Amino acid sequence: MKVLVPVKRVIDYNVKVRVKADSSGVDLANVKMSMNPFDEIAVEQAIRLKEAGQADEIVIVSIGVEKAQETIRTALAMGADRGILVKAVDNVETDVEPLAVAKILAKIVEEEGPGLVLCGKQAIDNDMNATGQMLAALLGWAQGTFASKLAIEGDHASVTREVDGGLQTIKVKMPAVVTVDLRLNEPRYASLPNIMKAKKKPLDVKTPEDYGVDVSPRLTVVSVKEPPARKAGVKVADVAELVDKLKNEAGVI
Amino acid sequence: MNFGLTDEQEMIVSTVRSFVENEIYPHEDLVERTGEVPKEIADEIRRKTLELGFYACNFPEEVGGAGLSHVDFALVERELGRGSMALNHFFGRPQNILMACEGAQKERYLLPAVRGEKMDALAMTEPDAGSDVRGMKCFAKRDGGDWVVNGTKHFISGADHADFIIVFIATGEDDTPKGPKKRITAFLVDRGTPGFTIRHGYNSVSHRGYKNMVLEFDDCRLPDAQVLGEVDGGFAVMNEWLYATRITVATMSVGRARRVFDYAVSYAAERKQFGQPIGKFQGVSFQLADMITEIDAADWLTLASAWRLDQGLPANREIASAKLYASEMLARVTDAAIQIHGGMGLMDDLPLARFWRDARVERIWDGTSEIQRHIISRDLLRPLGA
């Protein structure tokens, strides 16, 4: 079985995000970019499937700026087999929206014929949480989202989903789209031999036109603002004062 | 001229950085508090490093290493320099002098060291022979076909965990116009060899848990098979293989300085006094400007000297400059970082006091700053006959 893993190049999760002065977006100039952490988990899961003999090839796709190639190489250094870069935008500040991404991915799925698409549940930059679901809809495939456990059982996959208040295990028919959550696995480091091999692995460069997909934005960003700063707390002398404040000031009890 | 890193180098840096952050940082406080690296932590770091193919990555591929270039290896060590020396000792980088192993020595020492099965250490310094290596008193005397060794070595880092130690020992003396001059030979000495004791040395202000040990030889008998390189050829193997290792101190100083700088710059942005972040005061911000300028300068100086080694160019002076400048830069940067933090910088709730203490040894070991200045100036003046 072939596994397709789409990965997104996003602002590194360690970077303290700064909103641009004109509220048009987040400042991405000179900022460290990395693979979306949820996508890293998807890559790790694909590699584990391959190690378990349940997958034979892992194809990485990234849609975005040319530099997304580095993100693909990182996945190849972790152990994926080859990559496809879809150069969709020149400017890192232009986000390719989930629907356009899903449409391109649907075309790639048609060409590549994977038995499973493993996506991160969402990208940590815009938190859309939509691409995997849209892709499943476009393909008419089953979907299992927020996976914290995944087992391939013949022509079905058992997906344990992290839902509000607990875990839900569902059985989906393969081929399927599975979006992965934080607790599915812990991604490995790229090993030195794999880092050295990554460059030799094939990486195709495509454009949205190759797939006949229009990536022009449909959404307009009105304004981006920093979350309100947390105010300093207050110290209370005793439980009575705390109860009083909760009752009369905060009005929560 | 290209100052960029290749994709591979970027990935090497990011892998080692994540490794240090996830596998080294979490144990640092424990090591600092106890002065010990628990065996299970040491074994785990070694096992993970082996799994990742980074163990002995400074060795050529034909003996099982990763064959990294000097620049690649400098990048690895720069990232390692961010973490505790005591812990990253187990991110094994055996002494490349082991490449001088011949015949059966390869199976007994070189290959097990590269495979992570045996750990090595290197011993040169003695209580009465520091910078003056030739002043060593530890002596090996011919007795039948063997050598009988007597003497003491001290400040031997890593000897506590070593299965064998490469020891430089005097094997003779020549009369020269400048007076008697020792002939020196490198020996491979196994832990447990009769007459050879490894014992605890001193408590050091720098790098807690990265112990310095004392080696004692009391009529210790070593056969010829233990000679590394040629008899009386100690300086030759030293010059061939230890030449490049001074870069280690420079790279690690740069890595540590960058970690320290991260603390300083974020504190300057967050800490408010007189109604504004202290970074808005020039007294603080200009210190940050000087710190990053010096860190970058040391970084480039170090990478450039590693690059010269890769190109096969003479690099003795450049390595000395990098070692000198980077170690002294680290002293200034750690000091300034504490100044920016004020009193809090001295408390062991933050690691800054540790970085400051650790920095002190960098100007001393692997050739003091004075020895480096001597190397640099001799390189300049000797060709002019001065």
Side-chain angles (χ1 to χ4, degrees):
Chain A
M1 176 179 72
K2 191 190 280 189
V3 181
L4 190 84
V5 186
V7 299
K8 187 175 185 183
R9 180 175 182 265
V10 297
I11 192 161
D12 188 87
Y13 71 96
N14 279 315
V15 171
K16 209 171 158 206
V17 173
R18 280 166 47 101
V19 172
K20 287 198 284 191
D22 63 1
S23 302
S24 64
V26 165
D27 196 352
L28 293 178
N30 266 325
V31 166
K32 189 181 175 211
M33 307 288 280
S34 303
M35 191 189 307
N36 176 40
F38 294 111
D39 300 348
E40 227 177 320
I41 294 169
V43 174
E44 173 66 32
Q45 196 62 26
I47 297 169
R48 289 186 189 187
L49 287 174
K50 193 176 168 184
E51 285 170 347
Q54 293 185 302
D56 44 40
E57 193 186 24
I58 302 164
V59 181
I60 305 295
V61 182
S62 193
I63 302 168
V65 293
E66 181 147 20
K67 282 237 169 195
Q69 211 177 106
E70 291 168 11
T71 313
I72 297 176
R73 292 272 177 222
T74 304
L76 298 180
M78 286 171 72
D81 297 297
R82 64 188 170 89
I84 302 169
L85 168 72
V86 183
K87 237 190 99 198
V89 285
D90 293 325
N91 184 350
V92 66
E93 314 233 320
T94 318
D95 199 43
V96 187
E97 288 168 12
L99 184 59
V101 171
K103 282 179 177 170
I104 294 173
L105 290 176
K107 291 282 184 191
I108 294 176
V109 167
E110 262 174 42
E111 276 182 23
E112 294 282 343
L116 175 68
V117 179
L118 277 172
C119 315
K121 68 166 179 172
Q122 66 197 62
I124 60 166
D125 50 2
N126 288 337
D127 281 342
M128 294 282 203
N129 187 345
T131 304
Q133 293 89 328
M134 286 177 171
L135 175 63
L138 289 172
L139 293 169
W141 284 14
Q143 58 175 290
T145 50
F146 311 112
S148 67
K149 224 178 191 181
L150 171 67
I152 311 289
E153 293 151 359
D155 58 349
H156 283 78
S158 158
V159 180
T160 302
R161 310 178 59 236
E162 297 209 354
V163 293
D164 282 348
L167 298 173
Q168 176 193 49
T169 301
I170 58 169
K171 213 168 138 187
V172 296
K173 205 167 170 300
M174 300 281 274
V177 176
V178 174
T179 78
V180 307
D181 214 324
L182 191 64
R183 278 160 284 272
L184 179 63
N185 62 46
E186 238 177 82
R188 69 193 62 198
Y189 304 106
S191 74
L192 189 51
N194 274 336
I195 290 173
M196 294 310 191
K197 270 187 255 165
K199 196 167 196 170
K200 294 182 197 108
K201 292 180 177 174
L203 197 159
D204 287 336
V205 181
K206 302 278 194 181
T207 62
E209 292 77 53
D210 293 334
Y211 302 105
V213 175
D214 174 14
V215 295
S216 47
R218 289 152 184 261
L219 303 173
T220 314
V221 173
V222 181
S223 149
V224 176
K225 287 199 180 107
E226 298 233 11
R230 264 184 67 178
K231 292 200 186 85
V234 285
K235 274 190 181 164
V236 292
D238 49 29
V239 174
E241 191 189 342
L242 175 67
V243 172
D244 177 66
K245 278 186 183 292
L246 289 174
K247 206 177 229 167
N248 301 319
E249 276 180 41
V252 291
I253 52 170
Chain B
M1 197 176 268
N2 181 355
F3 287 95
L5 300 186
T6 63
D7 285 354
E8 285 83 5
Q9 289 168 335
E10 294 274 8
M11 283 192 268
I12 287 172
V13 167
S14 96
T15 298
V16 181
R17 171 81 62 91
S18 315
F19 190 92
V20 171
E21 287 174 354
N22 298 322
E23 315 293 341
I24 305 282
Y25 287 4
H27 306 304
E28 285 181 345
D29 283 344
L30 176 74
V31 172
E32 194 59 18
R33 217 170 45 242
T34 61
E36 300 284 339
V37 178
K39 188 177 180 303
E40 56 278 15
I41 293 176
D43 287 347
E44 187 175 311
I45 294 170
R46 180 172 28 216
R47 180 180 60 77
K48 287 182 174 171
T49 308
L50 280 162
E51 266 174 26
L52 286 178
F54 272 96
Y55 203 95
C57 61
N58 50 328
F59 276 74
E61 282 169 296
E62 55 268 29
V63 300
L68 291 191
S69 69
H70 288 284
V71 168
D72 292 346
F73 186 57
L75 295 169
V76 169
E77 292 209 303
R78 189 183 71 185
E79 296 312 314
L80 286 178
R82 301 176 77 94
S84 145
M85 285 281 293
L87 289 159
N88 70 28
H89 180 61
F90 299 96
F91 192 107
R93 292 145 289 138
Q95 303 283 344
N96 62 2
I97 197 170
L98 288 173
M99 285 301 289
C101 283
E102 291 284 351
Q105 291 175 345
K106 289 185 183 169
E107 273 302 333
R108 286 181 61 204
Y109 300 104
L110 168 65
L111 301 178
V114 170
R115 291 194 294 256
E117 295 160 6
K118 282 187 178 176
M119 291 197 84
D120 62 313
L122 192 87
M124 211 173 313
T125 305
E126 295 181 7
D128 291 321
S131 296
D132 180 15
V133 177
R134 279 196 201 265
M136 69 172 60
K137 296 206 173 90
C138 190
F139 201 87
K141 224 170 74 183
R142 269 293 185 197
D143 183 63
D146 294 341
W147 298 92
V148 175
V149 185
N150 282 288
T152 305
K153 297 278 172 188
H154 79 166
F155 295 166
I156 310 309
S157 309
D160 47 341
H161 296 285
D163 298 287
F164 68 93
I165 303 176
I166 304 144
V167 191
F168 288 85
I169 300 170
T171 37
E173 201 169 70
D174 292 323
D175 281 322
T176 72
K178 287 180 182 172
K181 206 172 170 185
K182 294 265 166 59
R183 291 198 302 261
I184 288 167
T185 303
F187 286 89
L188 294 155
V189 186
D190 289 306
R191 173 185 288 272
T193 305
F196 174 52
T197 318
I198 304 172
R199 65 171 173 84
H200 280 279
Y202 319 83
N203 291 325
S204 168
V205 74
S206 298
H207 299 304
R208 267 181 208 158
Y210 188 59
K211 293 182 188 164
N212 62 82
M213 308 298 281
V214 172
L215 312 185
E216 280 167 353
F217 293 89
D218 181 10
D219 282 338
C220 173
R221 188 168 280 273
L222 299 174
D224 266 336
Q226 300 308 109
V227 172
L228 182 65
E230 301 286 325
V231 172
D232 297 337
F235 274 102
V237 280
M238 212 186 284
N239 289 335
E240 186 176 357
W241 297 106
L242 298 186
Y243 183 71
T245 58
R246 277 171 298 156
I247 292 189
T248 292
V249 174
T251 51
M252 292 200 149
S253 295
V254 171
R256 197 152 339 109
R258 291 211 183 273
R259 182 172 177 199
V260 172
F261 184 74
D262 291 345
Y263 276 94
V265 80
S266 50
Y267 194 74
E270 279 159 22
R271 165 81 167 169
K272 288 203 175 80
Q273 289 289 273
F274 307 103
Q276 59 178 359
I278 57 170
K280 292 234 175 175
F281 297 104
Q282 277 186 357
V284 171
S285 64
F286 280 19
Q287 287 192 68
L288 292 172
D290 287 343
M291 287 159 87
I292 196 66
T293 305
E294 289 198 39
I295 294 170
D296 282 349
D299 206 351
W300 291 121
L301 202 52
T302 306
L303 291 174
S305 65
W307 178 85
R308 289 183 71 87
L309 286 174
D310 285 333
Q311 304 303 313
L313 295 168
N316 197 28
R317 174 174 71 76
E318 287 79 0
I319 293 171
S321 293
K323 198 273 176 190
L324 168 67
Y325 186 75
S327 59
E328 302 211 332
M329 169 281 291
L330 181 63
R332 291 188 290 270
V333 164
T334 49
D335 189 77
I338 287 184
Q339 197 64 22
I340 288 170
H341 280 77
M344 212 49 221
L346 297 171
M347 304 302 139
D348 59 13
D349 294 72
L350 290 176
L352 292 159
R354 162 156 62 96
F355 298 143
W356 180 62
R357 281 191 284 103
D358 289 350
R360 193 60 189 87
V361 73
E362 314 296 347
R363 288 188 274 159
I364 294 172
W365 63 9
D366 259 18
T368 61
S369 285
E370 292 68 31
I371 288 290
Q372 305 306 328
R373 287 190 173 93
H374 170 78
I375 292 170
I376 297 164
S377 56
R378 290 314 297 145
D379 190 85
L380 297 173
L381 292 166
R382 191 176 288 123
L384 304 178

